[in-house]
Amino acid sequence: MGLFHFEVIKECKKTRARLGKIHTPRGIINTPAFMPVGTQATVKTLTPDEVTALGADVILCNTYHLYLRPGTEIIEAAGGLHRFMNWKGPILTDSGGFQVFSLASLRKVSDQGVEFRSHLDGSLHFITPEKAIEIQEVLGSDIAMVFDECVPFPCSYGDALTAVERTTRWAKRCLRVHSRTDQVVFGIVQGSVYPELRARSALDLVNLDFAGYAIGGLSVGEPKPMMYGILDCTVPFLPERKPRYLMGVGTADCILEAVARGIDLFDCVLPTRIARNGTALTRWGKLVVRNAEYAADFSPIDPECSCYTCRNFTRAYLRHLFKAGEILGHRLLTIHNLHFTLNLMEKIRQAILEDRFLEFKSEFLNGFRITK
């Protein structure tokens, strides 16, 4: 076995859920796993040690943002991304494709790559698949992503087809130039909400033999049942013995539904972003501590939660922090939200191990307020 390999430990007999381990040069990722997002080489408001203590095996950082600021020269001089941010575990870097394509008014796409203007200072840049890999090799992440074309929802069949074909061509170019032996590359399946395009994209990429496969272009505005349907028709085309990663998905209901369909890795800014807006994740759904109804509520966010925040602080105090503009409020809710999400992943893994995943999923969702 090489430096990187995926080990399936147990498979659910009633669903596609599976328990596994991704072995990397910097440690094991226990799957199904959630990757906290450290877009700019930091999981906002927390130290790396705090993120580790919350149970994260791996984090995600973003190529686009780090390329623009502080720049690859600085990170290379620091000895790579791990040393720069003092994160000792595995890192997955998104290629920046999603960020570039979200800048619709600032970019031009061609088969060669994408010309775009920086959202920071308006400077002009050109990213090719080769450049995206070059940047990620300098960053030194453990898992690098191909440069892909992500289309919005809704989009026409023709636009989705063009993106699938371009994504495949770019994937080949990414593999051609990749050279780091301590870093692997994942392909990204595109195809919008068209099952036949998803199947085509998956088969094209599987033929290129990536170390793992991501499903991109979902959770971009389509209804959740539609996303689940696309997973149902995409996952069967992906290899059983390689990790599957659903990009940008992080709500509890979507994680459970995707795990049931065979997904191993997740990432999302949701837990940290809504924490900064005064919103907590709970087993019932979202709880907005900024609301006036919690001004004199001296109970924790969740009486059954064992995180540092719930063990030490009340809803009333948290509301006070947000109303007063105190940064501690952001930190405490970030701790809680990441604990909630990472603890959910631990419970999922335990349920798969004990042959009760479907029962756990049903019980959890029965009391959970699902939003669109």
Side-chain angles (χ1 to χ4, degrees):
M1 292 184 182
L3 293 173
F4 180 101
H5 67 276
F6 179 53
E7 174 188 7
V8 178
I9 296 170
K10 187 155 190 175
E11 296 176 279
C12 175
K13 297 179 177 66
K14 299 175 182 178
T15 70
R16 288 184 174 273
R18 71 254 191 97
L19 183 70
K21 291 181 182 292
I22 300 174
H23 297 261
T24 81
R26 289 186 176 84
I28 291 173
I29 304 168
N30 293 288
T31 64
F34 178 82
M35 299 181 283
V37 176
T39 302
Q40 306 196 72
T42 172
V43 177
K44 286 183 171 56
T45 77
L46 301 185
T47 68
D49 286 349
E50 287 172 324
V51 177
T52 299
L54 286 167
D57 292 331
V58 54
I59 61 170
L60 179 146
C61 294
N62 188 265
T63 298
Y64 166 82
H65 289 283
L66 295 175
Y67 161 72
L68 291 178
R69 183 175 57 193
T72 50
E73 299 84 0
I74 296 294
I75 294 175
E76 185 174 27
L81 185 55
H82 291 83
R83 288 188 180 178
F84 184 58
M85 67 180 296
N86 195 31
W87 174 260
K88 298 176 177 61
I91 296 175
L92 181 148
T93 43
D94 185 358
S95 68
F98 178 80
Q99 284 70 29
V100 168
F101 292 113
S102 68
L103 302 172
S105 62
L106 300 175
R107 48 90 171 166
K108 295 179 182 177
V109 186
S110 68
D111 279 342
Q112 284 306 304
V114 181
E115 181 183 79
F116 67 96
R117 290 197 176 276
S118 165
H119 71 287
L120 297 174
D121 60 11
S123 57
L124 193 62
H125 301 268
F126 190 72
I127 297 284
T128 62
E130 293 82 3
K131 181 70 173 179
I133 291 296
E134 175 192 328
I135 295 168
Q136 292 180 86
E137 288 194 328
V138 170
L139 295 178
S141 56
D142 303 272
I143 302 171
M145 303 302 297
V146 297
F147 198 55
D148 63 319
E149 181 171 8
C150 179
V151 292
F153 175 84
C155 77
S156 70
Y157 183 93
D159 287 346
L161 173 60
T162 297
V164 164
E165 292 175 340
R166 183 173 282 145
T167 292
T168 298
R169 290 194 297 270
W170 285 0
K172 292 176 181 177
R173 289 165 58 184
C174 286
L175 280 180
R176 198 174 299 135
V177 299
H178 184 258
S179 61
R180 280 194 76 136
T181 57
D182 60 346
Q183 179 189 65
V184 295
V185 181
F186 280 17
I188 304 178
V189 177
Q190 290 291 346
S192 187
V193 294
Y194 302 100
E196 61 271 36
L197 293 184
R198 287 287 176 176
R200 173 176 173 172
S201 182
L203 290 171
D204 286 348
L205 295 175
V206 169
N207 286 334
L208 297 176
D209 194 27
F210 284 96
Y213 297 88
I215 300 174
L218 291 177
S219 194
V220 292
E222 79 283 356
K224 289 181 180 180
M226 186 175 284
M227 177 175 74
Y228 302 149
I230 291 299
L231 291 178
D232 284 332
C233 67
T234 303
V235 169
F237 290 99
L238 301 177
E240 287 284 338
R241 299 302 166 184
K242 291 190 177 180
R244 305 166 184 146
Y245 163 31
L246 180 56
M247 306 181 79
V249 170
T251 60
D253 54 324
C254 289
I255 287 174
L256 284 161
E257 294 290 357
V259 166
R261 289 162 170 82
I263 299 297
D264 308 297
L265 287 171
F266 301 86
D267 83 280
C268 193
V269 297
L270 177 88
T272 50
R273 177 174 288 169
I274 68 171
R276 299 192 300 278
N277 294 327
T279 301
L281 296 170
T282 77
R283 65 186 189 278
W284 318 286
K286 295 176 182 176
L287 186 150
V288 184
V289 296
R290 293 177 64 103
N291 289 352
E293 64 186 290
Y294 302 117
D297 186 338
F298 301 109
S299 61
I301 295 169
D302 181 350
E304 296 181 16
C305 179
S306 62
C307 81
Y308 172 79
T309 302
C310 287
R311 285 187 285 110
N312 292 281
F313 304 100
T314 66
R315 297 174 182 183
Y317 180 65
L318 290 165
R319 180 178 186 273
H320 158 69
L321 292 177
F322 277 93
K323 299 306 285 187
E326 290 289 342
I327 196 69
L328 181 60
H330 296 196
R331 273 180 46 76
L332 292 178
L333 273 195
T334 300
I335 287 169
H336 169 82
N337 284 352
L338 281 180
H339 171 90
F340 171 83
T341 305
L342 294 166
N343 185 247
L344 172 64
M345 305 312 299
E346 173 59 33
K347 289 177 178 177
I348 287 172
R349 292 193 293 268
Q350 193 64 30
I352 297 172
L353 181 65
E354 297 173 0
D355 290 318
R356 54 178 181 83
F357 169 72
L358 191 57
E359 292 76 11
F360 172 78
K361 172 177 174 282
S362 298
E363 182 182 342
F364 184 95
L365 294 179
N366 188 49
F368 188 77
R369 292 193 301 270
I370 294 176
T371 57
K372 292 182 180 180

